[in-house]
Amino acid sequence: MSTGPGAASAPAPVPHDSPTPSDAPRKSSMFSSLRIRNYRLFFLGQVVSNIGTWMQRIAQDWLVLSLTGSSAAVGITTALQFLPMLLFGLYGGVLVDRLRKRPTLFVTQTAMALTSLALAALTLTGHVQVWHVYVAAFAAGLAAVVDNPARQSFVSELVGPDQLQNAVSLNSANFQSARLVGPAVAGLLITGVGTGWAFLLNGLSFVAPLTGLLLMRGRELRTVERAPRGKGQLREGLRYVTGRPELIWPIVLVGFVGTFAFNFPVYLSAFADDVFHAGAGAYSMFNTLMAVGSVAGALLAARRGTARLRLLIGAAAAFGALEVLAATTPALWMFALLMVPLGLFGMTVNVTTNTSIQMATDPAMRGRVMALYMMVFLGGSPVGAPVVGWITDTHGARVGLAAGGAIAALAAVVIGLILARVGNLRLSVGWHRGHPHIRFVPREQREELTAAV
């Protein structure tokens, strides 16, 4: 999975559309992909839309909690939003591999805008009920079935393989930077004029990405061969992934992390309301501080030239351990401060998995592979969110958060050992510059080190 030399990880495939090693840059500047006009338009459109998306997330969670008083209801809302990805995600990937990405994104982004505007109208007129929010969440999830893999795979058409890691990292930084603004604005709107205005502004924010798509120059897009219509394409995609350890095991890992550890709408709203009794302002603050760490993690990833497997395993284990630690903190300020490293390690898991999977996948299969990745990562929420919501309601927010973190950390350790075995690696423990040095090395190197001693 590592594209750099000397990586202590499983065997790394050469990316199917990558330049030769002599031509491939080892490290790019932090914002190098923004020099490309089409990607710059895409990026700027997403800046505006992502702020609206975060406003909607905060307003939606708080509206459901206000209407029902139940963390389980918030979990159900999250589950309904990601249920379509779980049910239809692979079919969405098949469609994305067949269709042109730019017009496809225009349709899906328009559908999401209309969903937000409909929910805004219901809320502002005082007719909203919790089932309306459920329906809106499910409808947005249906659009995301195609929108998510289309956006993920469209990046390679905008920038090409040499800038792919940088662009993926900047996309994540973009999304998480909006998290610094969106929750704060949502908190002000909720306490000042009501949740309906957050939904309205989110619906209007889609004007920016739609305009960016219209202004792009088609001749400057990278040509990617589209998959023809045919039978068995879904099975073909599954066989492609399951036959490659560098794809299947990272996807399994993010499945555990996404299902049990990334249910922050449930966890953070419960800590703000039930544990610290601090209200919507604290919930927005938790999300904002987590975004600070996430932006830092994404920008650090943009500077890296490789996506190493050992980094993915280590970040997932640290992420789970930090959740367990956060669950035990007695004071609000301690819990809030831990949101920063949680965001950093969570984003490292996300970006490292995304980039390594895209670089290891044939372009003609990228839509299906990314759909599977998004289905597992996001589609696990329909399973995990109600479960952790029930645990949170029954046993308390601290138990719910600790359980999710423990599962993520254990999954990281187990899958790390599996991948080390697949890659014929062994654990090496020694000293480096006076400090303990623990790493995975190839079996032959371990034997040489032992013989030398």
Side-chain angles (χ1 to χ4, degrees), residues 39 155 163-173 351 354-355 358:
Y39 178 72
V155 174
Q163 293 290 341
L164 182 59
Q165 166 137 348
N166 183 263
V168 169
S169 301
L170 288 182
N171 284 348
S172 299
V351 172
N354 189 315
T355 305
Q358 289 213 51

Side-chain angles (χ1 to χ4, degrees), residues 36 84 92 212 302 315 385 397 402 412 445:
I36 302 169
Q445 183 177 344

Side-chain angles (χ1 to χ4, degrees), residues 285-372:
M285 179 183 67
F286 294 155
N287 280 278
T288 300
L289 288 172
M290 184 172 289
V292 172
S294 298
V295 171
L299 291 178
L300 287 173
R303 291 182 62 86
R304 285 193 295 268
T306 60
R308 296 177 183 268
L309 178 59
R310 65 186 180 189
L311 177 63
L312 170 61
I313 299 300
F319 179 74
L322 281 168
E323 283 199 344
V324 175
L325 178 62
T328 66
T329 53
L332 185 150
W333 67 268
M334 295 174 65
F335 183 85
L337 286 179
L338 283 173
M339 295 300 102
V340 177
L342 268 173
L344 189 150
F345 284 107
M347 182 52 54
T348 301
V349 171
N350 191 349
V351 172
T352 304
T353 308
N354 189 315
T355 305
S356 62
I357 288 175
Q358 289 213 51
M359 294 298 290
T361 302
D362 190 293
M365 300 292 295
R366 193 166 281 150
R368 277 164 282 184
V369 174
M370 294 310 296
L372 178 62

Side-chain angles (χ1 to χ4, degrees), residues 169-251:
S169 301
L170 288 182
N171 284 348
S172 299
N174 183 337
F175 187 70
Q176 298 301 328
S177 297
R179 194 173 180 178
L180 294 171
V181 180
V185 175
L188 292 174
L189 290 173
I190 292 170
T191 57
V193 294
T195 55
W197 290 96
F199 299 141
L200 176 62
L201 291 179
N202 179 50
L204 296 176
S205 73
F206 283 94
V207 171
L210 292 173
T211 302
L213 289 169
L214 289 174
L215 292 177
M216 288 179 185
R217 296 169 181 164
R219 65 181 182 277
E220 295 179 8
L221 295 173
R222 307 280 175 144
T223 302
V224 174
E225 183 181 354
R226 285 180 283 157
R229 293 181 61 89
K231 295 182 179 180
Q233 290 178 322
L234 183 58
R235 292 191 298 273
E236 180 186 9
L238 290 173
R239 285 195 301 268
Y240 181 86
V241 172
T242 55
R244 289 164 171 77
E246 71 275 9
L247 295 178
I248 186 61
W249 287 113
I251 289 176

